[in-house]
Amino acid sequence: MTTLRIRRPDDFHVHLRQGEILAGVLPATALTFGRALVMPNTLPPILTAADAVSYRQAICVEIAKLGADHFHPLMTIKLVSSTTPQTILAARAAGVVAGKLYPEGVTTNSEDGVRDLEALYPVFEQMQACEMVLCLHGESPGVFCMDREQHFALSVLPFLAGCFPKLRIVLEHVTTAAALRTVESLHDKVAATVTPHHLLLTLDDVVGDKLQPHHFCKPIAKTPQDRDALIAAAVSGNPKFFLGTDSAPHPRDQKECASGCAGVFCAPVAMEVLAEVFEQQEALPKLEALTSEFGARFYGLPLNDSYVQLVREPYAVPQYIEVGDTQLAPFRAATVLNWLCQIETS
Amino acid sequence: MTTLRIRRPDDFHVHLRQGEILAGVLPATALTFGRALVMPNTLPPILTAADAVSYRQAICVEIAKLGADHFHPLMTIKLVSSTTPQTILAARAAGVVAGKLYPEGVTTNSEDGVRDLEALYPVFEQMQACEMVLCLHGESPGVFCMDREQHFALSVLPFLAGCFPKLRIVLEHVTTAAALRTVESLHDKVAATVTPHHLLLTLDDVVGDKLQPHHFCKPIAKTPQDRDALIAAAVSGNPKFFLGTDSAPHPRDQKECASGCAGVFCAPVAMEVLAEVFEQQEALPKLEALTSEFGARFYGLPLNDSYVQLVREPYAVPQYIEVGDTQLAPFRAATVLNWLCQIETS
């Protein structure tokens, strides 16, 4: 039996939701990962230190129920037009590690996103000064869906990186070869998170055969060439690229409907899918750096001191995961994976 | 009140389905159009003269119930690997006007589609000889979804047109500027049908915001540039382009689900949507040629001798149309259109 022992991974981009869904999805993240950067686009959104503290408390209640003491949520706030430098300072003091910027209207709950980037420059200045990371949903609104990320990566991203040379910037859930090249070319304060599902999916998996709402996410999966470039980046050993699952659960009836929500619930299979991809690329020895080192170092965090085991054995992913009176479809639902991630008991 | 009186239109590409759905969707087509070319990808498919005769009878029963005596279905057969020149001759003798070719696996019920085009050359020869039209689902299997039609249009289509210079060929439901250019450049036996929905939709309307299964069709809607090229072709007055709605109803539970069927049910709003597009383009006087002349001439049919009225008044499209114990979502569901197509009573 093949087993790969790696340092416990971190997930630098996850949607944990609230209430019943939070309780239902937290195990997939908290039992495997050491830390996760928790996205703030809840309803209502996490905008301030107080919001983040309250949200962290709600998460910690569920962590305690799980007995997952090793797991630490890393909190974020959402940057909106009303965010001020004082908001940033207070949030930083409360332990918030990153501010997330959504251009207006580009993804789930981004109707209050940012339209006037320049008005936020004092906020970015403050983030730079107090070492808060700027996380970007890197898509330009109003641009054709297949070109939104490229447009953002070729315009906004280099501009921000140039204006704020000491600000750590993460282009979240990178999906295009063009954006990868931009991130590679910019200084080392600019990085990108890679999702497991974007290493597997192209637009063909969303609309190429039957319509697959559970493969629908933002940014939309792109071309085979883009996916191949993402795989190459993931296995490259370049510390600018690290894991952020963008695991984004939506109740079944909000996916399988006439107007479906964007998001892939990949947390339950994140490490397993990565192991498959890295195995196919004959790059398994490089997996640990992507999942457990590069992200922590970028965020200035110590590496986790516990370990997980990736065991090469069949893992039958359920069709749906029951959460309260709804169902969530995990990524790779109703398929059998070749790897299973197990927790090392100490 | 603005009224536009035009010759009764023909629909040179429609999916009428079978059984209860046939009865439910036929009014949208038969009450407005004079003729419709009925696609053969039913289950089981329409493969022979006998199949076509039987299917026509089933349709005619429903026409009689509707009292839509003016409406004449134009029958097709599906070209599969077992189709022979004798199949073609018998079908032609039974009044079948076209053979439809689906490359394997490119759309609904195309699992039995054609893989080896060359093996069908004797069939194409026979179609050419007996003046049966070749209708093409013009997408290359195995190619990235956004490139499938362009690939087909740049490779298979010119080749077929060159090999069979007297065979009338229709590239159905054209969606790309590249395919339009190819059709324009080939000899005048090569034409293309234009759908109403591809004049409005881009990929953004499928996956650009929320996921819209009722905008999901094959070929998938393409870029804004492609859509603009389609509009330009539709209003150009070039007789190579004529109306084929590709109206393709699917029960709601086969669209709003985890693996959705491709097809837009546009028949209930086809003329109304076209009127809106042509009005926006200040091209209303050219609408009649697209809908009621070019197609009939290409197929060698007399023009219809009755008329319809397009009246500029609000038309509230229902969210769903009830058919038996299922529901069908029409294109532009739950919106208000500016035009209403009315039948001229004689």
Side-chain angles (χ1 to χ4, degrees):
Chain A
M1 188 173 67
T2 307
T3 297
L4 183 69
R5 181 173 186 263
I6 65 170
R7 190 180 295 278
R8 192 187 281 275
D10 297 313
D11 179 356
F12 282 97
H13 188 126
V14 72
H15 298 269
L16 290 184
R17 310 306 188 197
Q18 297 147 296
E20 195 171 57
I21 303 284
L22 165 61
V25 304
L26 187 67
T29 295
L31 295 180
T32 298
F33 293 91
R35 292 164 295 215
L37 189 73
V38 183
M39 290 298 115
N41 60 334
T42 48
L43 279 178
I46 308 304
L47 299 177
T48 65
D51 295 339
V53 167
S54 165
Y55 190 24
R56 179 166 46 202
Q57 281 169 346
I59 295 167
C60 286
V61 167
E62 299 301 329
I63 293 171
K65 287 187 199 164
L66 271 179
D69 299 339
H70 68 273
F71 178 72
H72 299 285
L74 304 171
M75 304 311 291
T76 64
I77 58 170
K78 187 174 181 176
L79 305 179
V80 294
S81 57
S82 59
T83 307
T84 66
Q86 289 69 38
T87 316
I88 299 299
L89 268 184
R92 192 76 189 98
V96 168
V97 302
K100 176 76 183 282
L101 181 80
Y102 297 90
E104 185 186 20
V106 294
T107 193
T108 305
N109 301 338
S110 66
E111 299 78 11
D112 59 354
V114 172
R115 185 190 298 239
D116 180 7
L117 209 60
E118 224 166 303
L120 278 184
Y121 278 18
V123 166
F124 300 150
E125 284 284 2
Q126 186 59 269
M127 292 174 75
Q128 183 171 254
C130 69
E131 301 198 330
M132 191 187 285
V133 173
L134 173 62
C135 297
L136 298 172
H137 182 112
E139 292 195 289
S140 296
V143 173
F144 180 60
C145 58
M146 294 293 279
D147 303 329
R148 282 175 201 165
E149 180 177 287
Q150 171 166 335
H151 184 278
F152 187 95
L154 298 182
S155 56
V156 181
L157 183 59
F159 195 72
L160 283 178
C163 290
F164 305 97
K166 293 181 178 169
L167 178 63
R168 281 172 296 168
I169 300 175
V170 182
L171 183 73
E172 300 292 337
H173 41 55
V174 60
T175 64
T176 58
L180 289 169
R181 283 194 301 269
T182 303
V183 170
E184 285 164 350
S185 72
L186 293 171
H187 59 67
D188 65 3
K189 300 279 186 195
V190 178
T193 50
V194 176
T195 80
H197 47 286
H198 284 112
L199 299 180
L200 265 61
L201 301 178
T202 72
L203 185 64
D204 279 345
D205 299 295
V206 188
V207 301
D209 184 17
K210 293 293 194 87
L211 187 72
Q212 302 291 326
H214 297 296
H215 290 165
F216 171 59
C217 58
K218 302 287 183 71
I220 195 78
K222 303 295 192 307
T223 70
Q225 292 74 30
D226 288 312
R227 184 203 42 201
D228 293 349
L230 289 172
I231 293 172
V235 304
S236 69
N238 184 337
K240 280 173 167 282
F241 304 115
F242 51 84
L243 176 61
T245 66
D246 194 17
S247 183
H250 288 282
R252 180 179 180 181
D253 64 357
Q254 291 178 27
K255 293 290 278 181
E256 303 174 12
C257 63
S259 185
C261 290
V264 172
F265 179 35
C266 69
V269 297
M271 293 303 294
E272 290 83 354
V273 163
L274 288 172
E276 283 202 358
V277 171
F278 275 66
E279 182 181 37
Q280 282 159 11
Q281 300 297 315
E282 300 180 357
L284 277 173
K286 289 183 171 175
L287 178 58
E288 185 175 34
L290 182 87
T291 63
S292 318
E293 295 172 9
F294 294 157
R297 292 208 180 106
F298 185 87
Y299 273 85
L301 300 168
L303 302 188
N304 293 315
D305 56 9
S306 56
Y307 287 78
V308 297
Q309 303 265 10
L310 281 159
V311 184
R312 203 178 192 295
E313 65 173 49
Y315 166 25
V317 185
Q319 178 87 60
Y320 294 102
I321 294 173
E322 308 285 333
V323 174
D325 57 359
T326 188
Q327 295 176 307
L328 307 174
F331 185 48
R332 300 295 302 271
T335 66
V336 177
L337 302 179
N338 295 329
W339 290 86
L340 182 61
C341 185
Q342 294 182 335
I343 309 312
E344 200 166 273
T345 48
S346 52
Chain B
M1 188 174 68
T2 307
T3 297
L4 183 68
R5 182 175 185 261
I6 65 170
R7 190 181 295 278
R8 191 187 280 275
D10 297 313
D11 180 356
F12 282 97
H13 188 127
V14 73
H15 298 269
L16 290 183
R17 311 303 189 200
Q18 297 146 296
E20 194 172 58
I21 303 283
L22 164 61
V25 304
L26 187 66
T29 296
L31 295 180
T32 297
F33 293 91
R35 291 163 296 214
L37 190 73
V38 183
M39 290 298 115
N41 60 336
T42 48
L43 280 178
I46 309 304
L47 299 176
T48 66
D51 294 340
V53 167
S54 165
Y55 189 24
R56 179 166 46 202
Q57 283 169 346
I59 296 167
C60 286
V61 167
E62 299 301 330
I63 293 171
K65 287 187 199 165
L66 271 179
D69 300 340
H70 68 273
F71 179 72
H72 299 286
L74 304 171
M75 304 310 292
T76 65
I77 58 170
K78 187 173 181 175
L79 305 179
V80 295
S81 57
S82 60
T83 308
T84 66
Q86 291 68 39
T87 315
I88 299 299
L89 269 183
R92 191 76 189 98
V96 168
V97 303
K100 176 76 183 281
L101 182 79
Y102 298 89
E104 185 186 21
V106 293
T107 191
T108 305
N109 300 337
S110 66
E111 299 77 13
D112 59 353
V114 171
R115 185 191 299 239
D116 180 6
L117 209 61
E118 226 168 300
L120 278 184
Y121 278 17
V123 166
F124 300 150
E125 284 284 2
Q126 186 60 267
M127 292 174 74
Q128 182 170 255
C130 70
E131 301 198 330
M132 192 187 283
V133 173
L134 174 62
C135 297
L136 299 172
H137 183 112
E139 292 195 289
S140 296
V143 173
F144 180 59
C145 58
M146 294 294 278
D147 302 329
R148 282 175 200 166
E149 180 178 288
Q150 170 166 335
H151 184 278
F152 187 94
L154 296 182
S155 56
V156 181
L157 183 60
F159 195 72
L160 283 178
C163 291
F164 305 98
K166 293 181 179 169
L167 178 62
R168 281 172 297 168
I169 300 175
V170 182
L171 183 73
E172 301 291 339
H173 41 55
V174 60
T175 63
T176 57
L180 289 169
R181 283 195 301 270
T182 303
V183 170
E184 285 165 351
S185 72
L186 293 171
H187 59 66
D188 66 3
K189 300 282 185 192
V190 178
T193 50
V194 176
T195 80
H197 47 285
H198 284 111
L199 298 180
L200 265 61
L201 301 178
T202 73
L203 185 64
D204 278 346
D205 299 296
V206 189
V207 300
D209 184 17
K210 291 293 194 89
L211 188 71
Q212 302 291 326
H214 297 296
H215 291 165
F216 171 58
C217 58
K218 302 286 184 74
I220 195 78
K222 302 295 191 309
T223 69
Q225 293 74 30
D226 288 313
R227 185 205 40 203
D228 292 349
L230 290 171
I231 293 173
V235 305
S236 68
N238 184 338
K240 280 173 166 281
F241 303 117
F242 51 84
L243 176 61
T245 65
D246 193 16
S247 183
H250 288 282
R252 180 179 180 181
D253 64 358
Q254 291 177 30
K255 294 290 278 181
E256 303 174 12
C257 62
S259 184
C261 290
V264 172
F265 180 34
C266 68
V269 297
M271 293 303 294
E272 290 83 354
V273 163
L274 288 172
E276 284 202 358
V277 171
F278 275 66
E279 183 182 36
Q280 282 159 12
Q281 300 296 314
E282 299 180 357
L284 278 172
K286 289 182 170 176
L287 177 58
E288 186 175 34
L290 182 88
T291 63
S292 318
E293 295 173 7
F294 294 157
R297 292 207 180 108
F298 185 87
Y299 272 85
L301 299 168
L303 302 187
N304 293 315
D305 55 8
S306 55
Y307 287 77
V308 298
Q309 304 264 10
L310 282 159
V311 185
R312 203 177 192 298
E313 64 172 49
Y315 167 24
V317 185
Q319 177 88 57
Y320 294 102
I321 294 173
E322 307 284 333
V323 174
D325 57 359
T326 188
Q327 294 176 308
L328 306 174
F331 185 48
R332 300 294 303 270
T335 66
V336 178
L337 302 180
N338 295 330
W339 291 86
L340 181 62
C341 186
Q342 293 181 334
I343 310 312
E344 200 166 273
T345 49
S346 51

